[in-house]
Amino acid sequence: MAFDWFWKAMGSSPTKNQKKSRAVVAQAGADRFAQATDEELRDHARSTIANAWPKASSGQRDAEDFDAPQPSVKDASALLAVLREAARRTLSMSPFDVQMQGTLRLLHGDVVEMATGEGKTLTGAMAACGYALQGKRVHVITVNSYLAGRDDKWMGPMFDFFGLTHGAIHEDLTSEERRDIYNRDIVFGAINELGFDVLRDQLITRNEDAVRADADVAVIDEADSVMVDEALVPLVLAGSEPGPAPAGRITDLVKSMEEGEHFHVSDDQRNVFLTDKGAAFVEKELGIDSLYGTSELDATTGSAAAVEQGAEAKPGDTLVQVNVALHAEHLLTRDVHYIVREGKVALIDGSRGRVADLQRWPDGLQAAVEAKEGLAVTDGGRILDQITIQALVGMYPEVCGMTGTAIAASDQLRQFYDLFVSVIEPNVPTKRFDEADRVYVSAEERNRAVIEHIVEVQRTGQPQLVGTQDVAESEELAEALAEAGVDCNVLNAKNHEAEAGVIAEAGRPGSVTVSTQMAGRGTDIKLGGADEAEHDQVVEAGGLHVVGVGRYRSARLDNQLRGRAGRQGDPGSSVFFVSLEDDVVAIGGAGEELQAKPEEDGLLPQKKVLQFVDHCQRVTEGQMLDIHATTWKYNKLIKDQRDIINERRQKLLTTDAAWEDLSYHDVDKANELKNRGIEQAVLEQAAREVMLFHLDSAWSDHLAYLDDIRESIHLRAIARESPIDEFHRMSIAAFKDLAESAVEKARETFSEVEIDEDGAHLEGLGLHKPSATWTYMVNDNPLSSGGGSVVGSIAQMFR
Ligand code: ADP
């Protein structure tokens, strides 16, 4: 695109919007409506809106209208002044000018970058109000349900002031309660909760059973975390049906295999490869001829036809199971990638370092890890429908958001969401001092230095927040600190409310809090404790000190941690302790050489070492972006197909199209039913259910098929064909027949099924809907580099 350079420049240049925003905000002076009565204030609000109930605009914006005011807002500064005054009256907070700028940019559909503690909740709520006053329904998307409830309550009085209805969605609501809340003006909810409702609404056979009502705008908190880090996490709706066979004996077998001899692990820790010796070992132990099997080998090198035959194109089940079991055994580590809790494997969310309650791994990996831990293997079920968070966000005509670290994600936000970033200056300039990294040769030397450092700093009375890479590391560190005489709180994030409490108290003098990543931890650390009782004492000591143990895979995550110090102009400082053995350095710097002489304690003070660490992080950032782009290509196609199905589904739900078609194709049956005096409405609903049943099961089959070809497609990569093109070709071919064959089947069913006053009796033909459904998030396998499937690495085995 010719304008690429331009968008790039705009996406990362904060200055242009800021000048205009400041001018608009300047006219929205804090006392502009101070004298107005409540009623007058509401009148002012109404008069700032050009035309209530406008149609939401969508699509790409032109360069020219980038700074144009929202077409439905006549007077942006008056609107801001009204919002500001309303917040002051109802919430006892006087929004700062910078918050008003944030609100303005949100109303323009930007992602705003505001540092921690700048008051993003209020900023976002004022924007939600501004949108709702225009007659648009707003979803305020929070990081978790706890925050959705908290913010709805906290900001509620301001919405009430304008007569706007609002509420929060959470997991414990009934369908009726959800339906009621979704119909309100402003709805708070966690992204996964909102997504699960999208999926569940996809199963209904009566339009009035839908719980959701479409929203016009999404205001997304922690926007980078949701739209970038979790973008490709699929939300899944599954129904009861036996899952994949567990690895069983293979688990034990794999435990006895030796690294280097039977298999080796790739440098980037993403893949395990079976050696010839390893394959021979498995064959001998299991008493099978060939792990690879001849027909499967053919498929990997053979023609497209071989793959299209379906099942045969997949490598042998045993091979897949061995591979998956090796992954589970050697690449997934307990307390790093998952924990075992109450007899279950609970995944740890890679980007947040916390337990991801609803997540599962794909492709039998979950079962393999359960087998490895000797736990009951759970049923994966049949996938009825799924949607990625990126596709979910794409459903909103207008999107905006806020986060502490947007600039570093601006490329992704541009590329995947067509969103711009606006940087909002802090209310009071930051005084945080960020020290240069301290890089050590080994992790052991680094850890020793970290402990010494924390002990030393504690003597000064500065509170410390220590960021680690994973749960295991945080627990080891806490133990080592205890030995060194330092008591600390460890954030294990099992309960968001308790967590908020720990964080709120983390600013007390001399306190040490060890945590995994800070993204989405929704409370800020106040110096001197939540009540700020010992504020001055802590300021005197230098404010909050952040210690990073190892750099994260993106600078954005580092900055989320750093950003906890120095809020609202508080003093504060940060330093990262890195070792050359850290993942970021080992993976990002794989194959590169670094020559530098360490000091006695292992410290590498050379400037080039610091540059090398930065370089390694940029490499890992690039890898993640590549993975995102590739994986999205697969998901985009599925999303487009899903949209088509959805449209058709909607038509069947809201019209008599099903009856029209089916009665036309079996006139005799239709006449017979009518002659029996069955009501027209019942007949239409029966026809609808027949059509929807076959459409839904065709879609579910299609998803399973796509999964299969996505796996086998990797095998074809060796034949030097472009996997994504191949995937497109095959999935489009399969999709073309989907609707038609579903209709065919529906016509057959219609002719056979018994229909009476109670409707169609599908179960009489053995056509069962799943008796139970449940939802979960798939943790797209963090290890595979390509299409997100563990089977990807099998391609390598055939070299
Ligand atoms: P963020 O999400 O940006 O880190 P929060 O929305 O959690 O920040 O707000 C941080 C703190 O600042 C909260 O305790 C809030 O009450 C306070 N706050 C926000 N805006 C204002 C304001 N205009 N005046 C006074 N306090 C404010």
Side-chain angles (χ1 to χ4, degrees):
M1 205 169 47
F3 265 108
D4 247 15
W5 62 272
F6 176 80
W7 294 126
K8 267 224 162 94
M10 293 307 292
S12 53
S13 154
T15 42
K16 185 164 181 245
N17 334 340
Q18 271 202 356
K19 252 193 228 141
K20 294 206 176 173
S21 299
R22 277 205 207 99
V24 174
V25 169
Q27 288 171 36
D31 47 9
R32 181 158 162 190
F33 291 120
Q35 306 305 323
T37 64
D38 286 1
E39 202 42 60
E40 282 166 349
L41 204 54
R42 283 187 279 266
D43 283 342
H44 282 306
R46 254 167 246 136
S47 64
T48 65
I49 307 298
N51 44 338
W53 311 106
K55 267 271 135 273
S57 64
S58 59
Q60 300 232 336
R61 284 176 293 175
D62 295 331
E64 290 91 273
D65 71 6
F66 178 55
D67 264 309
Q70 286 279 311
S72 47
V73 176
K74 265 192 298 204
D75 184 345
S77 55
L79 176 60
L80 292 180
V82 166
L83 291 171
R84 178 183 246 173
E85 184 61 25
R88 201 181 60 74
R89 289 184 194 182
T90 56
L91 305 173
S92 322
M93 280 192 276
S94 278
F96 306 121
D97 278 0
V98 287
Q99 286 176 306
M100 298 319 303
Q101 272 162 33
T103 299
L104 180 63
R105 296 317 311 169
L106 289 172
L107 287 169
H108 278 271
D110 283 354
V111 173
V112 301
E113 175 170 295
M114 292 175 76
T116 308
E118 289 292 307
K120 287 186 279 293
T121 315
L122 176 59
T123 306
M126 286 191 292
C129 230
Y131 277 117
L133 287 170
Q134 297 167 44
K136 298 176 183 179
R137 182 175 293 119
V138 186
H139 283 180
V140 182
I141 297 179
T142 57
V143 163
N144 57 51
S145 296
Y146 161 69
L147 289 175
R150 185 200 73 172
D151 293 353
D152 174 47
K153 249 212 199 105
W154 185 14
M155 297 292 139
M158 178 168 61
F159 307 141
D160 294 337
F161 179 87
F162 292 107
L164 297 167
T165 53
H166 58 94
I169 295 288
H170 58 85
E171 35 283 347
D172 300 330
L173 297 173
T174 64
S175 297
E176 287 78 55
E177 289 165 331
R178 278 169 197 267
R179 189 171 304 123
D180 174 35
I181 291 173
Y182 274 116
N183 274 300
R184 299 184 190 171
D185 301 317
I186 299 169
V187 180
F188 287 80
I191 188 81
N192 56 332
E193 276 304 309
L194 301 178
F196 289 147
D197 281 332
V198 169
L199 294 176
R200 283 188 285 249
D201 267 2
Q202 201 67 12
L203 278 191
I204 55 169
T205 55
R206 288 172 198 271
N207 202 33
E208 59 269 27
D209 289 342
V211 300
R212 283 184 74 259
D214 281 338
D216 305 291
V217 187
V219 179
I220 306 181
D221 196 10
E222 304 286 353
D224 57 335
S225 171
V226 172
M227 289 197 267
V228 177
D229 298 333
E230 306 201 332
L232 297 173
V233 171
L235 304 178
V236 175
L237 178 72
S240 46
E241 204 185 80
R249 241 203 100 202
I250 291 173
T251 307
D252 297 333
L253 184 63
V254 160
K255 285 197 168 127
S256 66
M257 292 168 69
E258 304 266 344
E259 179 163 359
E261 187 178 347
H262 295 124
F263 65 91
H264 58 96
V265 178
S266 68
D267 286 343
D268 64 0
Q269 295 282 318
R270 285 175 188 275
N271 284 314
V272 181
F273 306 121
L274 207 54
T275 60
D276 288 348
K277 216 167 162 187
F281 174 77
V282 173
E283 285 159 3
K284 183 168 150 273
E285 291 293 315
L286 294 179
I288 53 174
D289 278 351
S290 165
L291 197 48
Y292 300 104
T294 37
S295 67
E296 291 139 17
L297 256 182
D298 287 347
T300 66
T301 50
S303 62
V307 174
E308 270 167 6
Q309 278 158 23
E312 280 149 66
K314 287 171 69 187
D317 284 350
T318 315
L319 178 57
V320 173
Q321 287 189 357
V322 169
N323 188 49
V324 162
L326 277 170
H327 270 82
E329 186 66 32
H330 297 286
L331 299 186
L332 292 178
T333 313
R334 185 168 172 165
D335 292 339
V336 175
H337 300 106
Y338 64 94
I339 59 171
V340 174
R341 194 173 63 180
E342 292 160 15
K344 290 200 181 98
V345 169
L347 273 65
I348 293 173
D349 181 325
S351 62
R352 295 210 195 127
R354 63 165 78 222
V355 170
D357 279 322
L358 290 164
Q359 299 200 12
R360 289 179 65 87
W361 283 298
D363 302 331
L365 189 58
Q366 182 86 16
V369 172
E370 286 162 349
K372 164 187 168 188
E373 295 291 342
L375 304 168
V377 173
T378 53
D379 176 4
R382 171 184 169 83
I383 293 179
L384 304 175
D385 197 9
Q386 65 180 54
I387 187 170
T388 60
I389 286 179
Q390 187 161 335
L392 196 59
V393 171
M395 287 172 59
Y396 292 91
E398 290 182 75
V399 175
C400 61
M402 54 265 180
T403 167
T405 43
I407 272 293
S410 51
D411 282 353
Q412 280 102 321
L413 293 171
R414 270 294 311 149
Q415 185 174 340
F416 299 116
Y417 301 94
D418 194 27
L419 288 173
F420 293 91
V421 170
S422 283
V423 176
I424 308 295
E425 295 299 317
N427 185 39
V428 183
T430 17
K431 281 188 270 174
R432 191 184 69 228
F433 176 64
D434 298 324
E435 274 180 59
D437 290 1
R438 300 190 197 169
V439 185
Y440 290 80
V441 177
S442 71
E444 199 186 324
E445 287 160 326
R446 185 266 314 277
N447 292 348
R448 207 174 301 137
V450 167
I451 305 280
E452 262 172 39
H453 178 78
I454 294 173
V455 170
E456 216 169 274
V457 172
Q458 197 189 28
R459 288 200 198 107
T460 70
Q462 254 189 306
Q464 299 179 78
L465 175 70
V466 186
T468 60
Q469 301 285 323
D470 53 59
V471 178
E473 202 176 81
S474 62
E475 281 172 359
E476 282 162 28
L477 184 66
E479 239 168 70
L481 281 171
E483 269 171 41
V486 176
D487 276 342
C488 66
N489 275 316
V490 182
L491 275 181
N492 261 344
K494 288 196 178 127
N495 173 330
H496 299 302
E497 276 149 276
E499 171 186 318
V502 170
I503 296 194
E505 292 303 308
R508 293 218 177 273
S511 86
V512 176
T513 308
V514 178
S515 169
T516 47
Q517 283 161 30
M518 292 300 291
R521 299 203 189 273
T523 315
D524 63 343
I525 300 176
K526 290 189 174 158
L527 298 189
D531 56 0
E532 305 185 61
E534 294 157 306
H535 181 265
D536 296 351
Q537 186 187 338
V538 172
V539 168
E540 190 72 12
L544 182 69
H545 180 59
V546 163
V547 180
V549 184
R551 295 262 294 260
Y552 296 106
R553 286 203 180 184
S554 86
R556 205 156 39 77
L557 298 176
D558 292 345
N559 290 336
Q560 278 168 2
L561 179 64
R562 272 192 223 281
R564 294 287 158 163
R567 63 174 277 282
Q568 285 286 348
D570 284 341
S573 52
S574 78
V575 61
F576 276 70
F577 286 77
V578 182
S579 97
L580 297 184
E581 292 175 357
D582 291 351
D583 278 356
V584 168
V585 182
I587 294 170
E592 295 190 42
E593 252 177 68
L594 174 72
Q595 288 188 349
K597 195 168 154 26
E599 292 180 355
E600 218 163 88
D601 58 356
L603 182 72
L604 294 160
Q606 296 85 350
K607 198 161 173 211
K608 68 173 173 186
V609 176
L610 294 178
Q611 286 166 347
F612 178 69
V613 170
D614 285 339
H615 161 77
C616 293
Q617 192 177 48
R618 276 195 302 276
V619 171
T620 57
E621 284 171 351
Q623 284 172 351
M624 290 195 298
L625 183 58
D626 283 351
I627 292 175
H628 189 158
T630 313
T631 315
W632 176 240
K633 279 188 200 154
Y634 285 92
N635 284 304
K636 170 78 166 60
L637 187 81
I638 304 178
K639 177 205 163 298
D640 292 345
Q641 295 182 340
R642 190 180 181 282
D643 288 347
I644 295 171
I645 293 289
N646 198 10
E647 202 176 299
R648 171 146 189 90
R649 210 175 189 285
Q650 211 48 40
K651 185 167 174 219
L652 291 172
L653 271 179
T654 53
T655 69
D656 62 356
W659 171 253
E660 285 286 303
D661 181 281
L662 298 178
S663 61
Y664 175 80
H665 278 87
D666 193 339
V667 182
D668 293 346
K669 173 134 185 179
N671 286 336
E672 184 242 328
L673 290 170
K674 277 195 260 182
N675 290 339
R676 269 164 48 199
I678 303 174
E679 268 179 60
Q680 182 64 17
V682 174
L683 293 178
E684 284 175 13
Q685 182 60 21
R688 190 173 287 132
E689 282 177 19
V690 170
M691 277 279 196
L692 288 173
F693 177 88
H694 287 291
L695 185 68
D696 292 347
S697 69
W699 175 242
S700 175
D701 287 347
H702 185 66
L703 284 176
Y705 175 71
L706 292 184
D707 230 37
D708 282 356
I709 54 176
R710 202 158 112 164
E711 286 172 10
S712 63
I713 219 84
H714 287 275
L715 309 179
R716 317 211 56 232
I718 329 167
R720 297 274 175 268
E721 289 173 57
S722 155
I724 186 76
D725 290 344
E726 204 44 29
F727 178 78
H728 273 214
R729 197 180 63 68
M730 292 171 72
S731 57
I732 288 169
F735 188 73
K736 226 169 65 197
D737 302 334
L738 187 154
E740 212 172 300
S741 81
V743 171
E744 262 329 303
K745 283 187 192 154
R747 288 176 190 156
E748 273 169 41
T749 301
F750 179 72
S751 295
E752 291 166 19
V753 75
E754 194 198 319
I755 295 176
D756 58 23
E757 284 75 12
D758 298 329
H761 293 272
L762 288 167
E763 62 296 337
L765 296 176
L767 303 176
H768 296 284
K769 293 200 119 188
S771 53
T773 62
W774 62 95
T775 47
Y776 59 84
M777 295 161 83
V778 177
N779 189 307
D780 222 0
N781 178 16
L783 311 166
S784 84
S785 38
S789 157
V790 288
V791 189
S793 63
I794 291 180
Q796 308 284 338
M797 294 189 216
F798 289 102
R799 280 176 308 189

